[in-house]
Amino acid sequence: MAHLPVLPVLLPLVAGALMLLVGRRAGPQRTLAWVAMAALLAVAALLAREAGRGEILVYLLGDWPARLGIALTVDRTSALMVLTTALLAAPCLLYACSGWDRRAPHFHALFQLQLAGLNGAFLTGDLFNLFVFFEVLLIASYGLMLSGGRGPRMRAGLHYVAFNITASTLFLIALGLLYGLTGTLNMAEMSLRVAAADPADVALIQAASGILLVVFCAKAALLPLYLWLPETYSHAPAAVAALFTVMTKVGVYAVLRVYTLVFGSEAGALAGWAWDWLLAAGIATLLLASLGALASPTLRAQVAWLVIASAATLFVAFSLQTPGAVAAGLYYLVQSTFVTAALFLIADMVRRQRGKAGDRLDIAAPLGHKTALGLLFLVAGVAVAGLPPLPGFVGKFALLAAVPEGRVALVWTTVLVTSLLALVAMARSGSQLVWRAETFAEGAAAPRPPRAAQRIATGVLLGYLVVLMLASAPVLRYADGAAAQLLAPADAVQAIRGTVPVKRAPSP
C-alpha cells in the first residue's frame, strides 16, 4: 500500500516494455494487455478509496525531499482522474481487440505508454515532470494516430504532431522562466514562493504563467487554439479517438491543478488572476463548438466538436471558483468523457454499416442493424445533450444551481442555449442516419453485424452513464470533497512539504 501511488505509472510502463519484447504476436500482446488492464483497474479503485478518506498521499520517488526530487501526490481529484482513465481504457482496449489492433504495429505497447503518461500527468506534483508525462502521452498518441494510416489521417496526424511540438516548446520556455523566477518547479513549493515574490517579479511571473496557460488551453482545445482537434479526432481509429477523449481533459485538469494550487487564493497579488479570462474563453468556445456540431458533415466530426464543447463547459464550471461549481464540473468531466467515447465507437459502427456513405450526414443510405445502433445512439444522444434522467442532466443542473450571483444570466443562458443546440444536432444526425435510412436494394446483402466485442465495449461505456445516474449522490459527495481540497491549497502544500524521506540506517 505504501507504493500504491506509483503503480498507475509503473504498471503500464512495465507492460509496454514487455509487449515490445514479445514482438507483434497478437495472442501474447492481448494477454499482457488485459492482465495489465485488470491490475490498473484494481489499483485505480484502491487509490480512489484511499483518497476518499480525505488524506493527501505523497510518494517521493528516489526518496528525495519534495522540493528537490519528484513527488507524486494523490488527492480526491487526481484519484478520480486515474479511475476515469482506467474505466475508459478497458472498453477502448476491448473495441480495438475486435480486430483493429492486428493492423497497427505496436498498438498495445503504445496504448500502455499512453496510459502511463496520462496517469503520470494526473499524479505528479512537479511542473517539469508534468511536461515529461505530457511528452510521454503525446509521443504514444502520435504512434496511435499515425499507425496504419494514410491519406486524410496522415495529414491530420502530421498537423497534430506539429501543433503539439510547438506547444511543448512553449511549455519548456514557461518552465525555464518560472524556475528562474522562483527557484523551484515543485507546485507546492512554488505556491509559497509566488505568494512571497518580490513585487518587481510579479509581472514576470504572471507573464510566464500566462505562457503556461496558453499551453494548457491548447491541449484542451480552447478558443482560439481548437483548430487541430476536429480533424485529428474525426480521422483517428475509433478505439484511439475514444481514448483521446480524456486527453483534452488533461489540459483542463492541468489548469485546475496549477491555477488553484500555485495561483490560488493564497497567491498574493496573483491570486486567481486567470479565471475571468478563462470564463470568457470557455463561454465563447462552448458557443462555437455547439455551432460546429450543428454544421458537421460527418458524425465523427460532430462528436469531435462535442468533445470541445465538453471541455469548454468544464472551463466555465471551474472558472466560477465556487465549491459547488467545481464539484459539478468534476462530475460532468467523468460523464462527458464516457459519453463522447461511446459516440466515437457508435460512429465507427454506423460508418461500417452504411457502406460507401460512411458516416456522412448529408447522404441518406441504408443502415444495417439500425434498431440496435439506433438505441445506442439514442442513449448517447440524450446524455450528451444533457436531458434527464442521464448524468449529463445531473451535471449541468448541479452547475446551474451553483452559479454565484452576478454570473447567473450569462452562464445560464450559455449552458441552456448550447444544450439546445446539442439536442438539435443529435436529433438531426439520428434522423438522417436512422429514421431516414433507406432499405437495401433487392438482392443486396445486409452488412455483417458489428462484432460482439464492439457492441459490448459501447454498452460498457453507456452502462457507466447509468451507474453515474444511479449513484449520483455519492459521486457528487466525493466531488464536493475534491472541490474542497482544490480550493483550500494550504492543506495540500502542508502535506507535500511536510513529507520527508525515510531515514535509513548508516552504512557499515
Side-chain angles (χ1 to χ4, degrees):
M1 293 297 290
H3 299 285
L4 194 62
V6 77
L7 291 182
V9 180
L10 189 60
L11 283 173
L13 279 178
V14 172
L18 291 175
M19 289 169 183
L20 292 175
L21 292 177
V22 302
R24 296 177 61 180
R25 290 174 291 173
Q29 292 257 354
R30 289 180 177 178
T31 301
L32 282 171
W34 282 109
V35 169
M37 192 73 256
L40 180 60
L41 284 167
V43 168
L46 285 173
L47 272 181
R49 187 191 69 178
E50 292 298 312
R53 297 172 179 173
E55 296 183 6
I56 297 176
L57 309 178
V58 182
Y59 187 87
L60 302 178
L61 290 172
D63 210 25
W64 285 89
R67 64 184 183 277
L68 299 177
I70 301 170
L72 301 180
T73 60
V74 182
D75 60 4
R76 285 188 174 97
T77 305
S78 57
L80 178 66
M81 296 304 299
V82 170
L83 181 59
T84 300
T85 301
L87 291 173
L88 172 68
C92 293
L93 179 61
L94 179 60
Y95 196 94
C97 287
S98 66
W100 183 81
D101 61 330
R102 296 179 184 272
R103 301 193 296 272
H106 305 301
F107 163 79
H108 288 287
L110 292 169
F111 189 90
Q112 294 297 323
L113 291 176
Q114 180 154 12
L115 291 180
L118 287 166
N119 292 334
F122 294 137
L123 294 171
T124 186
D126 183 275
L127 277 177
F128 181 77
N129 290 286
L130 179 62
F131 167 78
V132 171
F133 286 121
F134 264 49
E135 293 308 298
V136 171
L137 71 91
L138 285 172
I139 291 170
S141 73
Y142 300 156
L144 291 172
M145 175 69 190
L146 297 173
S147 184
R150 58 177 180 267
R153 193 203 299 178
M154 290 298 292
R155 288 194 297 272
L158 290 174
H159 292 163
Y160 170 66
V161 172
F163 181 89
N164 280 287
I165 288 175
T166 304
S168 297
T169 303
L170 289 176
F171 201 161
L172 277 178
I173 292 171
L175 291 182
L177 289 170
L178 286 171
Y179 184 75
L181 291 164
T182 64
T184 185
L185 289 174
N186 178 274
M187 286 187 267
E189 191 74 23
M190 186 181 290
S191 68
L192 297 177
R193 301 191 186 187
V194 167
D198 190 304
D201 292 334
V202 168
L204 286 174
I205 294 173
Q206 185 174 7
S209 65
I211 297 174
L212 196 64
L213 185 64
V214 169
V215 174
F216 295 155
C217 291
K219 307 294 186 184
L222 195 68
L223 186 76
L225 304 169
Y226 67 94
L227 293 173
W228 62 274
L229 191 146
E231 284 294 305
T232 301
Y233 282 33
S234 61
H235 288 102
V240 174
L243 182 63
F244 280 8
T245 58
V246 79
M247 284 179 56
T248 53
K249 309 305 189 293
V250 177
V252 179
Y253 170 86
V255 171
L256 181 64
R257 174 66 68 189
V258 173
Y259 291 86
T260 54
L261 180 57
V262 180
F263 301 99
S265 58
E266 299 180 13
L270 294 177
W273 73 266
W275 294 117
D276 287 340
W277 294 91
L278 289 172
L279 177 62
I283 288 173
T285 306
L286 183 54
L287 291 169
L288 175 70
S290 300
L291 294 174
L294 272 175
S296 297
T298 66
L299 181 57
R300 285 176 295 172
Q302 185 175 77
V303 181
W305 282 106
L306 291 172
V307 171
I308 298 176
S310 68
T313 303
L314 295 175
F315 275 113
V316 172
F318 296 151
S319 297
L320 298 175
Q321 286 294 283
T322 64
V326 173
L330 291 172
Y331 180 90
Y332 185 81
L333 183 153
V334 177
Q335 80 86 30
S336 64
T337 301
F338 293 149
V339 71
T340 49
L343 280 169
F344 275 122
L345 302 187
I346 293 169
D348 184 65
M349 290 188 287
V350 167
R351 180 176 64 87
R352 296 177 186 277
Q353 293 294 315
R354 295 182 84 224
K356 293 182 179 180
D359 62 335
R360 292 192 61 84
L361 299 176
D362 57 352
I363 299 175
L367 175 67
H369 311 282
K370 71 175 184 178
T371 301
L373 291 176
L375 288 174
L376 291 174
F377 185 86
L378 175 64
V379 175
V382 167
V384 82
L387 294 178
L390 291 180
F393 170 78
V394 176
K396 289 187 177 180
F397 184 84
L399 169 60
L400 294 178
V403 177
E405 293 184 12
R407 307 280 193 181
V408 171
L410 178 63
V411 175
W412 274 62
T413 301
T414 303
V415 171
L416 293 177
V417 168
T418 53
S419 297
L420 176 61
L421 293 177
L423 175 62
V424 172
M426 298 308 293
R428 166 181 170 255
S429 300
S431 298
Q432 183 73 351
L433 297 173
V434 182
W435 187 261
R436 297 179 57 192
E438 300 174 352
T439 57
F440 288 96
E442 186 175 351
R448 295 178 59 184
R451 297 184 178 182
Q454 296 174 331
R455 298 194 300 269
I456 293 172
T458 309
V460 168
L461 286 169
L462 295 178
Y464 291 159
L465 302 179
V466 177
V467 173
L468 276 173
M469 175 189 68
L470 297 176
S472 57
V475 175
L476 281 171
R477 281 198 299 271
Y478 187 97
D480 286 334
Q485 285 182 327
L486 287 167
L487 298 177
D491 294 338
V493 172
Q494 183 178 359
I496 296 169
R497 296 186 81 247
T499 304
V500 296
V502 178
K503 293 182 179 179
R504 293 183 173 84
S507 302

